[in-house]
Amino acid sequence: MRKFLIFVVAAALAALVVLYGLRVAERRATATITAFLPKETLFFAHLRNLRETRRQWRETDLYQLWHEPAVQEFLQKPLTKVPHGSTARSDLQQFVKIQPEDIFVAVTAWSDGPQVVGGFRFQGKPEEVEKVVAPRRAALLRQFPQARRATQEYQQHQIEIIGAARQTLATVYDGDWFFAANNLAELKALLDRADHRQTDTATTLAADSTFTSAFAHMPPNYAALVYARVDRFVDKLKMLLTAAGANPDQPASLYQKMHAVCGTLAFDGGKIRDVLFAGMPKQSEAGVLSRSSLQLGTAETIFYLATLLNPTHPFPLADNGPPFMQNMLSSFRRSGVTLAEWNAAFQPEIGLLGQWPQTARLPALVAALPVKNAAKAKEVLTKFTGPQSGLTWTREEKEGVTYFSTPSAGLFSIAPALALSDRTLVAGTNPATVETAMRHSVAGKSALAGGHAFQKAEGAVALPRQGFSYIDTALLYERLDAALRPVLTMGAAFLPAINENIDLAKWPPVETITKHLSPIVMSQNYRTDGYVTESIGPITIYQAAIGTALVVGGSALLYKKHIPGNALGSFGVLPGATASPAPIPTGSPSPFPSLPPGVPIPSPSETP
């Protein structure tokens, strides 16, 4: 028995040593590349191991979903509309055969255009790599017949140079490394650092305190990494704007506090995980996230977000947001509620929930704010719902809760409603949703927080102190399928373009899709010198945001192409309100100051 225990302990120690060795090796790989680059590097991207990344990608839920037979059959028709590169797949296969590792690209300077260097480490002989590189070089020469090709020897290396007009491509082999650059001097400097002729490590990116500080927040086992010096890009932008005769201070000032951005992507048990670091001072001392709004969650919650607000600008997206948000902001301005009154009444935290009951055609949105002072909160709400707001509000008392509602209007029946208790202010897109949410708040129990899927997803990220979001992708798809399938089926009779692009008869069953979908979760924390955002799911929160924007944009273009005019009418316009803000009454400072036109809203600089 003692020998068995000794064996188990020894095996565990050996495993820890191996794991530690792998993590050290992973860190050293990145350190090696950053030792090749100058300290002033503006941008750096690193793909650790292409073959291993492809293997991990094929184990993800998203890859498995894509290769479902029913999904492939459904996509067969629309994919025929997408142009495909005839040699892209074969080129990738050839590249993988040389087992490239530590693929990197960097922008080392910006003088009369970006100066770019890149390269990768390979297995085998340079002749095998040349079989992959030579066709690309030949294709470039065919594309630019006026280009000149030359060879230059430098420190026992043969540099291949292709030059056309003011453009240059220089490539070279250095042991098991292949390097390329669009500037010959940069390539030679890279060779000097790689061959240790330049030994001053203090001048490399590896010794840059901004990079090392950002990189310290990254996990060691990432598949891909991206780093950018935002402050230097902003300085460059200011110079360009000044040269063009514009005022550079306003568009750049919002980002001057941000030093650098660093992010990684990794694969974790079939899921995709990313970590994003934004180096900047903490934007406000609003406390620690309580997520008290979780009490409003139900088993039919498709989306939940909780974040701390900046007390000096509680709703940073309202000015440039959807029409109903702009109208709500206009109502606040007209009501005469001041910033001091708002901060005295409510805690600087907001929770947003998307509820989609099975019987509803569309989801309903709910927002919740913790009450700091019940008396002050009643005063604020009384002002907001007064005649000056420009809306007609109906007031009702139920079980110690004050409810306010407005008549519905528009195609999507948006009827803003409010509910105020001694602990919570709830706002929503219709009275029924607000009343249901308030009952859950009073009960203090959350079917969302108590669910196994939520708890598992929540445990996959760090405990959130500044921000948290959760998307139930399976439930969301179920509701979208139920809402869109009959609409598209009926619409196909009137829009031939639908039948031209997709075969609705082959739409995959719901369970075929949802069995590969798990929740997307995100947490945000401030750590010493910046904000760290961590997300995991079948796709991450940022990938979901980008994908949603592309889908919405593509759908809007398709709709505009085939349906002239605005058949849907005005979306999100509140009854009795307009999108343009009314003048603010004299002596009533606005709690939500407007930014100058054209100035983007920073994230997360306004909302920690």
Side-chain angles (χ1 to χ4, degrees):
M1 185 67 179
R2 178 179 295 180
K3 291 182 178 180
F4 177 75
L5 290 175
I6 293 174
F7 172 77
V8 171
V9 172
L13 289 174
L16 289 173
V17 170
V18 171
L19 180 62
Y20 176 77
L22 288 173
R23 294 205 168 191
V24 170
E26 289 167 342
R27 289 286 185 181
R28 285 178 177 172
T30 309
T32 298
I33 299 172
T34 54
F36 295 166
L37 303 174
K39 192 173 184 178
E40 297 76 19
T41 296
L42 298 172
F43 173 85
F44 166 58
H46 177 209
L47 180 63
R48 177 163 281 149
N49 187 311
L50 182 58
R51 174 172 288 187
E52 178 64 13
T53 298
R54 290 185 76 203
R55 183 193 67 79
Q56 292 177 336
W57 160 246
R58 289 172 176 172
E59 295 177 353
T60 61
D61 297 332
L62 195 59
Y63 183 90
Q64 301 300 322
L65 171 60
W66 178 263
H67 285 83
E68 279 283 348
V71 174
Q72 285 295 303
E73 187 177 6
F74 173 71
L75 293 174
Q76 185 175 3
K77 190 172 184 178
L79 287 177
T80 59
K81 308 290 184 180
V82 180
H84 295 277
S86 58
T87 62
R89 184 180 293 272
S90 60
D91 289 347
L92 179 60
Q93 291 174 346
Q94 290 180 5
F95 189 54
V96 173
K97 286 181 180 178
I98 63 177
Q99 302 182 42
E101 298 180 4
D102 295 325
I103 305 168
F104 74 95
V105 62
V107 177
T108 58
W110 197 302
S111 177
D112 194 22
Q115 297 183 13
V116 184
V117 299
F120 58 86
R121 193 158 49 88
F122 56 87
Q123 302 290 331
K125 298 180 180 180
E127 291 78 10
E128 297 298 320
V129 180
E130 190 62 20
K131 292 179 182 178
V132 178
V133 175
R136 310 283 78 75
R137 192 183 289 122
L140 186 63
L141 289 170
R142 288 194 300 270
Q143 186 177 358
F144 299 97
Q146 75 279 13
R148 296 182 179 180
R149 184 174 180 179
T151 302
Q152 184 178 123
E153 183 174 346
Y154 179 75
Q155 297 293 340
Q156 300 181 349
H157 295 290
Q158 295 295 322
I159 301 178
E160 290 278 348
I161 306 170
I162 297 177
R166 300 175 63 185
Q167 303 299 319
T168 300
L169 174 63
T171 60
V172 67
Y173 292 92
D174 185 12
D176 60 350
W177 283 95
F178 173 82
F179 297 125
N182 68 346
N183 182 284
L184 183 59
E186 285 293 322
L187 184 63
K188 291 179 179 179
L190 175 62
L191 282 172
D192 288 340
R193 287 186 288 267
D195 293 342
H196 304 291
R197 285 185 294 275
Q198 170 58 263
T199 59
D200 187 4
T201 59
T203 62
T204 66
L205 181 61
D208 181 51
S209 60
T210 303
F211 171 77
T212 55
S213 175
F215 185 65
H217 297 285
M218 299 297 104
N221 57 340
Y222 64 83
L225 176 142
V226 174
Y227 167 80
R229 279 299 298 265
V230 178
D231 53 356
R232 290 175 181 164
F233 276 111
V234 169
D235 290 341
K236 184 65 180 180
L237 177 62
K238 289 177 65 176
M239 293 173 60
L240 294 174
L241 290 172
T242 302
N247 181 5
D249 294 330
Q250 280 191 344
S253 61
L254 291 173
Y255 299 99
Q256 286 177 343
K257 296 179 181 179
M258 190 179 296
H259 310 306
V261 172
C262 189
T264 59
L265 182 144
F267 301 99
D268 185 353
K271 308 293 186 292
I272 301 176
R273 179 188 295 272
D274 64 26
V275 177
L276 178 67
F277 170 79
M280 58 168 49
K282 197 171 185 179
Q283 296 305 289
S284 71
E285 295 296 337
V288 176
L289 197 69
S290 68
R291 291 191 292 168
S292 60
S293 52
L294 258 178
Q295 297 175 354
L296 280 61
T298 69
E300 295 177 313
T301 298
I302 58 171
F303 168 79
Y304 173 70
L305 170 93
T307 184
L308 294 176
L309 299 173
N310 188 331
T312 63
H313 196 77
F315 296 112
L317 298 179
D319 288 299
N320 296 337
F324 73 89
M325 290 184 65
Q326 297 181 40
N327 293 330
M328 188 70 75
L329 181 60
S330 299
S331 298
F332 269 105
R333 287 171 172 156
R334 287 190 293 265
S335 69
V337 178
T338 66
L339 178 61
E341 289 174 328
W342 176 269
N343 288 330
F346 303 106
Q347 300 284 356
E349 176 177 333
I350 187 171
L352 298 175
L353 300 94
Q355 314 279 24
W356 200 339
Q358 191 171 8
T359 56
R361 292 179 303 161
L362 294 170
L365 297 178
V366 178
L369 294 116
V371 170
K372 182 189 297 184
N373 185 308
K376 291 288 185 181
K378 287 183 179 180
E379 292 178 9
V380 168
L381 218 58
T382 299
K383 277 189 176 183
F384 173 68
T385 57
Q388 293 184 10
S389 67
L391 300 175
T392 302
W393 292 93
T394 301
R395 178 171 176 165
E396 185 179 6
E397 298 285 341
K398 292 182 182 179
E399 300 176 352
V401 178
T402 305
Y403 292 91
F404 299 86
S405 60
T406 61
S408 63
L411 176 65
F412 296 99
S413 299
I414 294 179
L418 304 169
L420 179 66
S421 70
D422 290 342
R423 296 186 302 172
T424 308
L425 169 65
V426 176
T429 51
N430 62 74
T433 302
V434 168
E435 189 168 347
T436 301
M438 183 56 76
R439 284 200 300 267
H440 285 290
S441 175
V442 173
K445 294 182 180 180
S446 172
L448 173 64
H452 174 71
F454 180 88
Q455 292 178 353
K456 183 178 180 180
E458 182 185 33
V461 294
L463 181 67
R465 294 182 177 273
Q466 267 71 44
F468 177 83
S469 67
Y470 171 87
I471 303 175
D472 189 336
T473 58
L475 181 60
L476 175 60
Y477 183 82
E478 287 181 9
R479 298 295 189 263
L480 286 173
D481 181 274
L484 295 179
R485 191 187 293 257
V487 172
L488 290 176
T489 302
M490 183 171 59
F494 303 96
L495 288 176
I498 294 179
N499 292 318
E500 292 174 4
N501 292 280
I502 58 176
D503 187 350
L504 293 174
K506 296 181 179 180
W507 189 308
V510 174
E511 58 274 10
T512 300
I513 306 297
T514 56
K515 69 181 182 180
H516 296 290
L517 298 180
S518 58
I520 300 172
V521 65
M522 181 275 289
S523 72
Q524 186 184 77
N525 292 285
Y526 188 84
R527 297 177 182 171
T528 310
D529 55 351
Y531 292 91
V532 178
T533 305
E534 182 181 4
S535 178
I536 186 172
I539 58 176
T540 65
I541 197 73
Y542 296 111
Q543 294 165 0
I546 294 171
T548 300
L550 292 176
V551 169
V552 172
S555 301
L557 290 175
L558 183 65
Y559 175 81
K560 186 176 181 180
K561 178 180 179 182
H562 295 283
I563 301 182
N566 187 4
L568 293 181
S570 180
F571 169 66
V573 177
L574 303 185
T578 60
S580 59
I584 303 172
T586 305
S588 301
S590 168
F592 314 111
S594 300
L595 293 176
V599 179
I601 302 297
S603 177
S605 64
E606 290 292 343
T607 303

